[in-house]
Amino acid sequence: MAKIKYIEHNGKEHVLEVPNGWSVMEGAVKNLVPGIDADCGGACACATCHVYVGEEWLSKLEPKSDMEQTMLDFASEVKENSRLSCQIKVSEALDGLVVRMPESQH
Amino acid sequence: MSDRIVIVGAGQAAAQAVQTLRAENVAAPITMIGDEAYLPYQRPPLSKKFLAGELEAERLLIRPVEFYKEAAVEIRLGQKVVALDRKAKAVRLGSGEVIPYGKLLLATGSRVRRLGGPNAELPGVFYLRDIADVDAIRPHFKPGARLTVIGGGYVGLEVAAVAAKSGLEVTVLEIADRVLARVASPEISSFFEAEHKKAGVAIRTRCGAVSIEGKGKLEAVRAGDDRINADLLIVGIGILPNMELAADAGLACDNGILVDENARTSDPDILAAGDCTTHPNPLMNRRLRLESVQNAIDQAKAAAHAMAGRPRPYAEVPWFWSDQYDLKLQSAGLSEPGDARVLRGEMSARKFAVFHLRDGVVVAVECVNAAPEYMIGRQLIAKKARIAPERLADVNTPMKALI
Ligand SMILES: Cc1cc2nc3c(=O)[nH]c(=O)nc-3n(C[C@H](O)[C@H](O)[C@H](O)COP(=O)(O)OP(=O)(O)OC[C@H]3O[C@@H](n4cnc5c(N)ncnc54)[C@H](O)[C@@H]3O)c2cc1C
Ligand code: FES
């Protein structure tokens, strides 16, 4: 279980307990946090689960797979700290993680 | 007169329609009726992680129950709509209950094509469309078990991949001269055939007529002159659109419920979205019946926008994915047999793409572990871009330089 803070584009914050083994995307979708579409349901095939990860967390997350990196390369409004939230697996180590949602997923 | 929006079917398209209707501030009451026991869930994992036992059913749900509560959706699960009365503007459930509608969305999906002939219903013969199917398969899905898969389409091959990894002894029977014959290029077919063989899966193309043998339960599958002993059989020979409700009510249907680019049927108060429809696709210049998450989502959005009175025609480049072993196949657009094909990358590197050109225009791309080709390819298709085949084939020209 990890406590994750999701911040909507408009600044609204949601702090949620997400079970280990789930993805950060699932934590949002299953708790009605708006701003993540996740059209492909986590298959790393749609890039509609894009989030910005708190800078201090970048080095602590498992690195991106090549597939995630390239899917992200072509998403909109991509920054240094962009990730596909379906590819971040939750564990105790992520307790306190902060992610921000982009303005739009398309 | 009711202003209620009634959604028949509770799957991928239904869930998206609810979401978009409320996001568009449509305030009408919504009732969603589904004949399965579950809230709308994702089917793709059924032949992938869910079959492999890596996901619980709860994680398949597209949205949690609270989502529908918050959206004030009245949910009827485990109930089938058996008749549509367009004059009275109402649907009838199996229980006899009648529910009136102002607008109706048919999101009935599709069902598996079944094998005919004797023994087709023997214990040990399975199909794969819903959670209940996987639950039925699971007790037989054990290391050492002999599995025959009929049908080398995406579902059949995904099942074969999971089964091989789980230690089953797998044979795939395909009537055509190659697997994925209906949905992929010969390059992709031969690549996946080779990958499956490496994993120990026996693939028999041109397998001939198939029949099932067994007394009281499945014992073997006969394909042409061969007899293959089997403990379980999974049949994946395609689907049929669930259009009978619409057809019986006199709506125009032809290999699916006919809809326009705004997901409207021939009745102005009835819309349809997902696997059950055929729609005109302006990018492809023809009618399509698609069986994909993308289509269900985008068409449901179009239906919701139309119901909100702010139509936003559906004109997406179709896209699809399939996961087998550590390979991710992603495709976009649709090809036709006469299209020119350009290979980019090396198949032996397990990272390549096949582009399809029609009169010099990029119309489709199939990618294996090649996300840049896929993401840029989608854009090239949408733009109807003309790219010289030599440039597409040249891996030293980055995809970004082509857009
Ligand atoms: C094993 C499998 C793997 C797949 N893999 C992929 C993949 O990797 N990528 C991809 O893009 N797509 C994949 N698909 C296809 C994708 O899941 C479908 O295209 C999508 O689910 C279609 O959504 P839908 O809403 O039209 O239909 P469905 O999700 O099938 O929902 C329709 C629902 O309506 C119900 N219903 C029908 N008639 C009635 C009635 N009269 N009354 C009440 N309820 C009714 C049905 O029982 C069903 O629950 C896969 C499908 C399967 C089966
Ligand atoms: S949910 Fe589709 S890529 Fe993350």
Side-chain angles (χ1 to χ4, degrees):
Chain A
M1 194 81 92
K3 231 186 209 119
I4 298 181
K5 187 192 274 187
Y6 297 84
I7 308 177
E8 289 182 54
H9 188 72
N10 64 15
K12 191 166 169 204
E13 298 188 357
H14 307 253
V15 178
L16 300 167
E17 304 239 324
V18 184
N20 291 348
W22 284 31
S23 67
V24 170
M25 174 278 280
E26 286 179 283
V29 168
K30 311 267 184 227
N31 289 295
L32 309 192
V33 177
I36 293 182
D37 293 349
D39 284 354
C40 76
C44 199
C46 71
T48 65
C49 62
H50 176 197
V51 296
Y52 305 116
V53 174
E55 304 286 347
E56 65 284 13
W57 282 92
L58 274 180
S59 57
K60 297 186 200 157
L61 299 177
E62 295 265 319
K64 285 174 246 186
S65 66
D66 285 354
M67 181 61 71
E68 181 185 348
Q69 180 58 54
T70 26
M71 291 296 288
L72 267 174
D73 278 349
F74 304 103
S76 51
E77 301 291 318
V78 182
K79 300 182 194 161
E80 280 291 304
N81 59 340
S82 286
R83 291 292 308 253
L84 292 180
S85 57
C86 72
Q87 300 301 306
I88 310 176
K89 209 180 214 177
V90 174
S91 67
E92 310 287 342
L94 263 58
D95 197 46
L97 177 70
V98 181
V99 296
R100 288 187 172 72
M101 260 65 97
E103 189 170 4
S104 145
Q105 292 289 353
H106 287 278
Chain B
M1 204 187 83
S2 174
D3 67 341
R4 181 170 294 276
I5 295 174
V6 172
I7 305 178
V8 184
Q12 189 87 48
Q16 184 63 48
V18 167
Q19 199 177 328
T20 305
L21 281 168
R22 292 308 189 220
E24 287 292 307
N25 298 315
V26 173
I30 300 178
T31 299
M32 179 174 76
I33 308 160
D35 59 4
E36 289 184 70
Y38 298 92
L39 285 169
Y41 61 87
Q42 308 162 33
R43 290 182 202 281
L46 296 184
S47 50
K48 307 177 183 83
K49 284 189 173 165
F50 186 64
L51 181 63
E54 293 168 21
L55 279 182
E56 314 86 74
E58 192 215 327
R59 286 180 66 188
L60 296 177
L61 296 187
I62 294 168
R63 293 287 181 266
V65 65
E66 293 78 17
F67 164 80
Y68 303 94
K69 277 198 196 127
E70 202 161 278
V73 176
E74 187 203 355
I75 300 175
R76 307 292 195 91
L77 295 180
Q79 306 218 35
K80 194 176 174 82
V81 172
V82 293
L84 159 57
D85 182 343
R86 288 164 59 200
K87 248 206 209 112
K89 291 186 74 173
V91 294
R92 195 174 77 237
L93 306 184
S95 62
E97 190 185 346
V98 171
I99 303 178
Y101 64 81
K103 296 269 183 223
L104 182 69
L105 175 63
L106 298 172
T108 48
S110 54
R111 61 181 180 278
V112 293
R113 193 187 287 274
R114 304 184 78 87
L115 279 183
N119 299 332
E121 306 294 325
L122 276 184
V125 180
F126 300 99
Y127 294 83
L128 187 42
R129 180 72 201 173
D130 48 41
I131 291 180
D133 291 331
V134 180
D135 288 344
I137 290 169
R138 187 140 302 133
H140 307 268
F141 208 78
K142 290 184 299 229
R146 295 161 307 174
L147 164 68
T148 294
V149 176
I150 300 185
Y154 286 122
V155 171
L157 291 188
E158 288 177 351
V159 167
V162 172
K165 266 190 1 199
S166 313
L168 282 79
E169 211 178 284
V170 191
T171 304
V172 176
L173 300 175
E174 167 59 53
I175 194 116
D177 59 356
R178 59 183 174 102
V179 297
L180 301 173
R182 197 176 56 90
V183 289
S185 62
E187 288 80 1
I188 296 288
S189 297
S190 66
F191 173 77
F192 277 98
E193 258 180 63
E195 287 292 329
H196 279 280
K197 284 184 182 157
K198 264 197 260 168
V201 174
I203 295 191
R204 305 196 188 184
T205 51
R206 294 195 184 92
C207 67
V210 179
S211 59
I212 298 167
E213 298 185 350
K215 285 202 182 71
K217 71 172 185 44
L218 167 77
E219 284 160 17
V221 179
R222 198 173 272 285
D225 297 332
D226 294 338
R227 188 174 186 274
I228 303 148
N229 291 326
D231 303 308
L232 73 156
L233 170 63
I234 300 180
V235 183
I237 53 172
I239 58 159
L240 299 167
N242 288 328
M243 60 183 197
E244 290 69 19
L245 209 52
D248 291 348
L251 295 175
C253 293
D254 178 12
N255 180 33
I257 305 168
L258 295 189
V259 295
D260 67 9
E261 63 279 19
N262 291 303
R264 291 178 294 219
T265 68
S266 54
D267 180 323
D269 293 320
I270 305 180
L271 299 94
D275 280 9
C276 61
T277 69
T278 74
H279 70 278
N281 185 297
L283 293 165
M284 300 289 146
N285 280 324
R286 60 181 165 110
R287 253 186 193 281
L288 303 176
R289 180 169 67 76
L290 297 174
E291 307 159 6
S292 70
V293 166
Q294 170 272 323
N295 178 61
I297 288 180
D298 289 328
Q299 209 170 30
K301 285 182 186 167
H305 284 124
M307 284 190 265
R310 290 179 287 278
R312 247 200 245 175
Y314 168 35
E316 296 292 319
V317 173
W319 58 266
F320 189 81
W321 79 94
S322 171
D323 298 323
Q324 295 167 44
Y325 309 108
D326 57 342
L327 300 163
K328 183 173 288 291
L329 172 70
Q330 292 169 295
S331 67
L334 289 176
S335 59
E336 276 166 10
D339 299 338
R341 297 194 302 275
V342 178
L343 179 68
R344 180 183 167 96
E346 296 286 335
M347 278 157 84
S348 58
R350 306 172 91 235
K351 196 180 172 83
F352 65 96
V354 181
F355 285 90
H356 298 250
L357 305 175
R358 194 172 309 151
D359 304 324
V361 175
V362 183
V363 290
V365 64
E366 303 165 290
C367 306
V368 172
N369 292 348
E373 281 71 12
Y374 170 68
M375 292 299 273
I376 297 281
R378 254 166 86 170
Q379 297 177 34
L380 294 176
I381 298 162
K383 286 186 164 170
K384 304 194 175 182
R386 232 169 238 287
I387 314 267
E390 314 79 73
R391 293 192 74 207
L392 273 178
D394 176 15
V395 286
N396 295 320
T397 305
M399 283 308 293
K400 272 194 171 163
L402 297 176
I403 195 90

